[in-house]
Amino acid sequence: MLESIRKRARTGKVTLDLPAGDLPTPFRGMPVIADAFRSANVAEECSRVCATEAIDPEKKTIDLGRCVFCGLCEEACDGEGIRFSQDPRLPCGKREHLVLGGREFPTVKAAPDLRSLLGRSLHLREVSAGGCNGCDLEAQALGNPIFDLQRFGIDFVASPRHADGLLVTGPVSKNMREALVKTYEAIAEPRIVIAIGACAASGGIFRGSYAVENGVGAVLPVALFIPGCPPHPLTLLYGILGFLGRSPEKNPRR
């Protein structure tokens, strides 16, 4: 017991306060779109190197639901059109909210009655639906002492019967479709679905494969998409808390 207390005293506090700082490398955060991207041929140069077709050179947009944050577009244009910042706060919400091209990014929150019901106590059942497990690792990191998801009243549970919603990763392989639907149906209403990562939003690098459903939205009604490949735990925290109307900027929490 004394040794445990000594160890804790030596270690000190490790839990991050919110709002926290920038993302550590090699993670990339919010892309900054410069005027050159909209007015010149820079968008076309960027689109040529984009393996997931996230950049539309005609509409001058970048789809974070497809983007894997590889940074090749930034290298192609020398940062003149797109530059990735280390800001962990990425646009979240409906699928269409992940397409960036304008200067305004909508803020999406759950309906007031849902925020009242789940805002202080949210239990999620996580389902890996055929991805590489990168998003799963970052989601599980939310439970460690650094991010300490439970301090916000949010937790992962083992059974869908005890859950308020689903947190889904992966493009939804054909083999996982039935299991995912049955897990969703086992959750009592009202229930929410959170899709994290490029694969869950659009199929990601697996998009168009015969073996996947090209994202969770093709199978279940998704309330919140959080982009990234994989999204950093801070991005997940910002996304979930913002959806519940508990934005860290407005409600600092230690």
Side-chain angles (χ1 to χ4, degrees):
M1 182 68 179
L2 286 176
E3 182 57 30
S4 177
I5 294 174
R6 290 193 190 99
K7 183 177 182 180
R8 177 165 295 185
R10 288 196 303 269
T11 303
K13 181 185 176 184
V14 298
T15 304
L16 286 177
D17 293 334
L18 292 182
D22 291 340
L23 294 178
T25 55
F27 282 92
R28 294 183 174 89
M30 180 70 180
V32 179
I33 301 177
D35 290 338
F37 182 81
R38 304 185 183 90
S39 58
N41 295 326
V42 177
E44 191 171 344
E45 292 178 16
C46 295
S47 70
R48 288 198 193 103
V49 298
C50 184
T52 57
E53 300 178 335
I55 297 174
D56 188 329
E58 295 183 1
K59 296 180 181 178
K60 315 290 186 189
T61 58
I62 176 171
D63 183 355
L64 295 188
R66 294 184 181 180
C67 180
V68 294
F69 293 74
C70 63
L72 291 178
C73 55
E74 182 178 359
E75 293 181 11
C77 67
D78 292 326
E80 294 182 1
I82 297 176
R83 179 179 57 81
F84 285 90
S85 71
Q86 298 301 114
D87 189 344
R89 297 164 298 179
L90 295 173
C92 305
K94 298 296 183 185
R95 179 65 183 85
E96 59 269 24
H97 296 151
L98 306 187
V99 181
L100 305 184
R103 301 177 189 278
E104 300 293 332
F105 307 115
T107 301
V108 176
K109 294 180 183 177
D113 57 338
L114 202 58
R115 294 204 305 269
S116 175
L117 185 64
L118 304 177
R120 297 291 174 182
S121 178
L122 175 64
H123 294 82
L124 296 170
R125 173 71 168 94
E126 185 193 354
V127 175
S128 177
C132 69
N133 294 128
C135 293
D136 301 289
L137 291 173
E138 302 304 330
Q140 290 304 311
L142 288 170
N144 68 30
I146 296 176
F147 302 103
D148 192 13
L149 183 69
Q150 289 182 325
R151 63 179 152 157
F152 301 105
I154 306 170
D155 200 3
F156 292 107
V157 293
S159 169
R161 300 291 185 190
H162 303 155
D164 304 303
L166 278 179
L167 188 145
V168 188
T169 65
V172 187
S173 62
K174 299 286 186 183
N175 289 339
M176 278 298 297
R177 179 188 177 104
E178 183 178 358
L180 181 62
V181 171
K182 285 187 175 180
T183 304
Y184 173 75
E185 291 175 344
I187 300 173
E189 295 190 12
R191 54 200 172 194
I192 63 173
V193 177
I194 301 173
I196 67 171
C199 290
S202 67
I205 60 174
F206 305 104
R207 186 168 62 92
S209 166
Y210 69 92
V212 303
E213 298 286 355
N214 292 330
V216 184
V219 182
L220 299 176
V222 179
L224 177 66
F225 286 95
I226 302 178
C229 188
H232 191 275
L234 276 178
T235 299
L236 297 175
L237 267 180
Y238 281 116
I240 296 173
L241 291 178
F243 182 69
L244 296 175
R246 300 172 60 188
S247 176
E249 283 82 1
K250 295 181 179 178
N251 305 292
R253 183 72 177 271
R254 299 179 181 276

